[in-house]
Amino acid sequence: MSDNTAHGEPELVQLLTPDGELIDHPDYPLEIGPEDIRGLYRDLVLVRRVDTEAVALQRQGELGLWASLLGQEAAQIGSARALRPQDTAFPSYREHGVAWVRGVEPKALLGMWRGVSNGGWDPAQHGLQLYTIVIGSQTLHATGYAMGVQRDGATGEDGSAVIVYFGDGATSQGDTSEAFNFAAVNNAPVVFFLQNNQWAISEPPERQARVPLYRRAAGFGFPGVRIDGNDVFASLAVTRKAMQQAREGQGPMLIEAFTYRMGAHTTNDDPTRYRVAAELEEWKAKDPILRLRAHIQQQGLGDDDFFTEVENEADRLGERLRSECRSLPDPDPLDIFHEVYAEPNTQLDLQRAEFADYLASFEDAGAEGGR
Amino acid sequence: MSVNLTIGKAINAGLRRAMEADPKVLVMGEDVGRLGGVFRVTDQLHKDFGADRVIDTPLAESGIVGTAIGLALRGYRPVCEIQFDGFFFPATNQSFTQLAKMRRRSAGALSVPVVLRIPYGGGIGAVEHHSESPEAYFAHTAGLRVVTVANAVDAYWMIQQAITSQDPVVFFEPKRRYYDKADVDTDASPDSALPMGAARVARPGTDATLLAYGPMVKTALQAAEADTDHSLEVVDLRSISPVDYATVEESVRRTGRLVITHEAPVSGGVGGEIAARITESCFYHLEAPVIRVGAFDTPYPQSRLEEHYLPDLDRILDGVDRAFTY
Ligand SMILES: Cc1ncc(C[n+]2csc(CCOP(=O)(O)OP(=O)(O)O)c2C)c(N)n1
């Protein structure tokens, strides 16, 4: 395949074909045993279930909004499984698979979309920062964090590195270019993990850039590689190597996972306005889950019982998520004033007290039979 | 011809008419093309005017405003859509240090007639950064005109006035009111429309003036309706910068009381500025201090709390009550 077109599929690193065949790659050895392969499959299926349930919950009015990861499971699971506990990941807002791998409770993911919190998990505990809505912002945070890791001497063979997730649209932001540059000139231990899911809401990559996105790295002075983003093995092996190189002092790397957002941008979006159905059909044939399933079957790594068990587990997870979502309590109104400042703030204290009185006046009025 | 239009459709019709009238008018922004914008305000314009005039830009707000400045310097009239209030901030540098100051810097030699359309405000159950009311930042920046609309008639005319203005105009669209409808006479002469800089008495009254703009005008009107004890006059500010003080003062001199409401936090907000000015100019006519009813000095909260954060009818009436305790 040639690399001439800006956004066709130039050579991409692929270790697992859509038919489930393994391909050896000289630069990216796949070191993985049968148990881990089954584990990856389980991850992919369960994360897809979390996503499907969340979309359904939004339709039922339980969530205000949801950004679906459908189709991007392999990119996220593979890359996140390449991380060590001491690594830190900076997500955008669609990284439910990364959150899953980092041990964030699925119900915690729903908080922001349900409108009960702005985050939902402890970033330090999970090595996963909070979701970022303002496009591209997190690329700079990750780079700065990596500069800190570097200064702390926390890198090295057994050390840690940083990974940041962002989309094809995000590559257009000034912040992202600035992050590339800061990372390069500081040789920071950060891996830029770009999920090119082909659409930034309604805009295709051609509206964002004239060159394949992985090539952006070269201009900043670090390597970029495009991988088959629907291939969980490629995602795992390439990210492992990039993280290891980063922590060993070889600086940043850009990984462009060439993948596809099979659903709508968010539950508010109507993709029929800007893309043709045939495109989706084409990508369905490259489904990340089907190909790993085919591989497991071909290699005899799992029997029917295995697949049934994973399916049952997904059902149980879905059920749990539905009830957990409904029982996420609404915050207390006075929560509006919490955690705005670390230090005492008299102005806010005053407003809080006034608001508490105001709320109480309704209770009093209620007791007296109305206003 | 009088057509019943939502605010969103009225802006769309106004954009269309401006584009037909002047080939230099361009629409640009993220997803404004085939999608018609996430709120569909630019619906069908791409199909009818083509990709050269309805430009799907890269996802970069600084780029959008910065290139709009360049296009304007070259004689075009770009109308930029910023997808949501909270995403304007990457464009602050271009807007505040460049767009706002070009005319002054060039001693009047340069004009940058750029319009920045920003859907703003809360009340739609959105996630972070989708519900903010950042108008005070803009009003604090000299060189920009800042307007907002509360009904479809104003939406239709003011977007056209903003586009023909020689000054850069920040055009705030109250997103939770996009679907509110009104009859718009699209055949009327543009001269018949109220000028963009003027405030408007939306409901006459005698006991107190309720000042609101954008999304809060509807709530203020409801509050005035609900208050059977007082006759409340509602003034729709329309232009946040410059403020039409003549209209506000005239109303306050008659009613003797002023209650200002907006969605933005009270501290450092537009209401405080107006309160100070009215206190100076109408001191001997005021029966009570100017009261402000706005949001708390906190980030916009998670959506399950926004009903508590946004001033509602009860909060406004509470403010009115306070004005009558003096
Ligand atoms: C600074 C900023 N501008 C605009 C938006 C609105 N917006 C949300 S997602 C999105 C598209 C993002 O596309 P991409 O970076 O490719 O990520 P994807 O959603 O495809 O994962 C846009 C324009 C935003 N969140 N932040």
Side-chain angles (χ1 to χ4, degrees):
Chain A
M1 265 182 278
S2 90
D3 200 356
N4 295 335
T5 60
H7 297 286
E9 289 185 40
E11 284 184 16
L12 32 73
V13 176
Q14 188 182 67
L15 304 185
L16 185 64
T17 70
D19 300 327
E21 304 284 342
L22 262 190
I23 313 172
D24 271 339
H25 194 289
D27 300 332
Y28 305 105
L30 179 68
E31 284 146 8
I32 191 171
E35 193 54 41
D36 287 332
I37 293 179
R38 284 188 293 269
L40 289 174
Y41 180 79
R42 184 175 162 270
D43 285 339
L44 294 175
V45 171
L46 295 184
V47 152
R48 180 168 289 186
R49 181 60 66 96
V50 169
D51 191 67
T52 331
E53 291 297 344
V55 171
L57 284 164
Q58 195 279 336
R59 297 278 177 250
Q60 294 157 17
E62 297 291 337
L63 301 178
L65 188 76
W66 179 255
S68 165
L69 66 23
L70 187 67
Q72 299 178 223
E73 296 89 348
Q76 294 190 15
I77 297 292
S79 59
R81 281 284 170 222
L83 307 183
R84 294 175 178 175
Q86 68 269 30
D87 293 333
T88 301
F90 285 74
S92 163
Y93 45 78
R94 204 189 288 285
E95 272 66 75
H96 320 314
V98 180
W100 167 263
V101 172
R102 298 307 275 177
V104 173
E105 272 292 315
K107 79 164 174 201
L109 284 182
L110 303 180
M112 184 175 86
W113 310 96
R114 187 172 166 86
V116 300
S117 75
N118 286 328
W121 61 90
D122 175 1
Q125 185 192 339
H126 296 281
L128 178 73
Q129 295 292 318
L130 298 181
Y131 278 180
T132 316
I133 299 279
V134 181
I135 301 291
S137 310
Q138 76 279 16
T139 57
L140 280 166
H141 309 161
T143 301
Y145 193 95
M147 288 161 61
V149 170
Q150 187 181 42
R151 273 166 179 66
D152 290 346
T155 47
E157 180 133 23
D158 300 318
S160 43
V162 178
I163 188 166
V164 55
Y165 292 87
F166 55 105
D168 37 297
T171 62
S172 293
Q173 286 288 354
D175 275 7
T176 305
S177 288
E178 293 178 25
F180 286 172
N181 200 33
F182 272 68
V185 301
N186 291 294
N187 208 40
V190 56
V191 172
F192 294 101
F193 197 92
L194 156 59
Q195 290 172 85
N196 178 356
N197 67 7
Q198 312 303 321
W199 293 96
I201 308 189
S202 73
E203 298 192 19
E206 293 81 17
R207 292 307 307 159
Q208 309 294 340
R210 272 300 294 273
V211 298
L213 295 171
Y214 73 93
R215 285 212 224 139
R216 293 285 297 278
F220 290 93
F222 57 92
V225 63
R226 180 177 274 186
I227 66 168
D228 180 341
N230 287 14
D231 168 356
V232 71
F233 289 161
S235 180
L236 175 73
V238 174
T239 308
R240 254 188 201 154
K241 179 154 179 185
M243 293 293 280
Q244 193 56 24
Q245 286 176 347
R247 62 170 65 92
E248 285 174 7
Q250 293 178 55
M253 175 157 162
L254 171 64
I255 300 171
E256 177 191 359
F258 201 77
T259 178
Y260 192 73
R261 183 244 288 157
M262 295 215 265
H265 170 70
T266 65
T267 43
N268 271 351
D269 176 42
D270 173 12
T272 62
R273 290 181 75 105
Y274 54 81
R275 74 184 186 190
V276 295
E279 188 182 284
L280 177 58
E281 290 311 310
E282 204 181 296
W283 279 90
K284 273 189 184 162
K286 303 180 196 167
D287 189 299
I289 298 187
L290 295 184
R291 76 169 71 176
L292 188 58
R293 186 186 174 103
H295 175 72
I296 291 174
Q297 285 171 325
Q298 281 163 28
Q299 299 298 311
L301 302 175
D303 54 13
D304 287 353
D305 284 352
F306 165 71
F307 291 113
T308 314
E309 181 35 49
V310 174
E311 208 46 47
N312 291 342
E313 195 180 349
D315 289 344
R316 291 193 298 275
L317 176 63
E319 229 166 90
R320 197 182 90 202
L321 196 60
R322 283 196 295 278
S323 67
E324 285 178 345
C325 176
R326 295 199 168 88
S327 60
L328 282 175
D330 278 358
D332 183 277
L334 292 176
D335 190 51
I336 289 174
F337 299 92
H338 293 174
E339 310 302 349
V340 181
Y341 298 97
E343 307 286 338
N345 187 292
T346 49
Q347 182 176 320
L348 217 52
D349 289 346
L350 197 66
Q351 288 186 12
R352 185 180 190 278
E354 280 171 5
F355 185 53
D357 283 349
Y358 174 76
L359 289 176
S361 75
F362 286 92
E363 280 158 29
D364 299 345
E368 289 159 20
R371 190 188 164 98
Chain B
M1 190 179 59
S2 188
V3 244
N4 196 248
L5 293 176
T6 62
I7 288 184
K9 289 239 158 64
I11 299 169
N12 178 278
L15 286 171
R16 173 176 292 276
R17 187 157 157 178
M19 293 181 80
E20 280 163 356
D22 181 355
K24 295 290 190 188
V25 175
L26 307 174
V27 166
M28 55 196 282
E30 296 156 14
D31 304 292
V32 297
R34 221 172 299 155
L35 186 65
V38 292
F39 290 104
R40 311 285 184 263
V41 171
T42 59
D43 194 24
Q44 302 299 320
L45 298 178
H46 180 267
K47 186 173 128 261
D48 298 338
F49 293 97
D52 277 351
R53 292 191 64 196
V54 181
I55 307 164
D56 266 335
T57 65
L59 205 175
E61 289 74 14
S62 178
I64 293 170
V65 176
T67 57
I69 292 171
L71 282 159
L73 290 173
R74 182 70 194 177
Y76 286 87
R77 289 182 175 270
V79 184
C80 305
E81 175 172 304
I82 303 294
Q83 204 156 74
F84 275 91
D85 35 66
F87 310 147
F88 165 77
F89 296 103
T92 46
N93 174 46
Q94 286 293 341
S95 303
F96 295 168
T97 73
Q98 305 301 310
L99 181 67
K101 302 195 176 18
M102 278 289 171
R103 170 170 300 274
R104 169 77 185 177
R105 178 161 70 146
S106 66
L110 301 175
S111 284
V112 275
V114 171
V115 177
L116 302 181
R117 292 183 35 240
I118 309 179
Y120 83 122
I124 62 163
V127 295
E128 269 193 299
H129 312 299
H130 288 74
S131 305
E132 292 167 26
S133 297
E135 63 271 17
Y137 300 109
F138 296 86
H140 192 65
T141 303
L144 301 175
R145 296 188 66 138
V146 185
V147 301
T148 181
V149 297
N151 60 60
V153 176
D154 279 350
Y156 178 72
W157 291 113
M158 277 167 73
I159 189 64
Q160 296 179 62
Q161 292 164 343
I163 292 169
T164 50
S165 169
Q166 279 302 96
D167 289 316
V169 179
V170 185
F171 190 88
F172 278 111
E173 303 175 5
K175 66 172 89 84
R176 68 168 148 145
R177 308 292 186 213
Y178 266 141
Y179 303 100
D180 286 5
K181 285 186 160 185
D183 287 330
V184 183
D185 182 357
T186 54
D187 286 339
S189 153
D191 301 335
S192 67
L194 190 62
M196 183 170 75
R200 180 181 72 97
V201 176
R203 180 193 201 271
T206 53
D207 299 344
T209 300
L210 251 182
L211 184 74
Y213 53 82
M216 290 308 295
V217 173
K218 182 174 184 169
T219 319
L221 286 168
Q222 288 166 344
E225 199 67 37
D227 188 347
T228 45
D229 297 338
H230 310 109
S231 160
L232 302 183
E233 174 149 308
V234 176
V235 174
D236 173 2
L237 194 63
R238 296 168 88 251
S239 177
I240 296 169
S241 178
V243 169
D244 172 9
Y245 281 112
T247 301
V248 182
E249 285 167 8
E250 198 276 322
S251 174
V252 172
R253 288 200 178 102
R254 263 191 299 105
T255 64
R257 289 180 169 84
L258 177 61
V259 178
I260 304 171
T261 183
H262 52 57
E263 284 191 17
V266 164
S267 298
V270 170
E273 183 56 37
I274 297 173
R277 167 74 192 222
I278 293 298
T279 306
E280 279 178 32
S281 61
C282 302
F283 190 69
Y284 293 106
H285 297 269
L286 284 170
E287 308 282 343
V290 179
I291 304 285
R292 290 165 296 161
V293 180
F296 311 113
D297 299 331
T298 69
Y300 197 90
Q302 52 273 48
S303 61
R304 292 270 169 156
L305 292 178
E306 68 182 346
E307 58 167 316
H308 296 289
Y309 182 84
L310 292 171
D312 61 1
L313 201 137
D314 284 324
R315 286 256 295 280
I316 294 175
L317 291 179
D318 187 62
V320 170
D321 285 349
R322 276 188 282 143
F324 279 100
T325 55
Y326 289 88

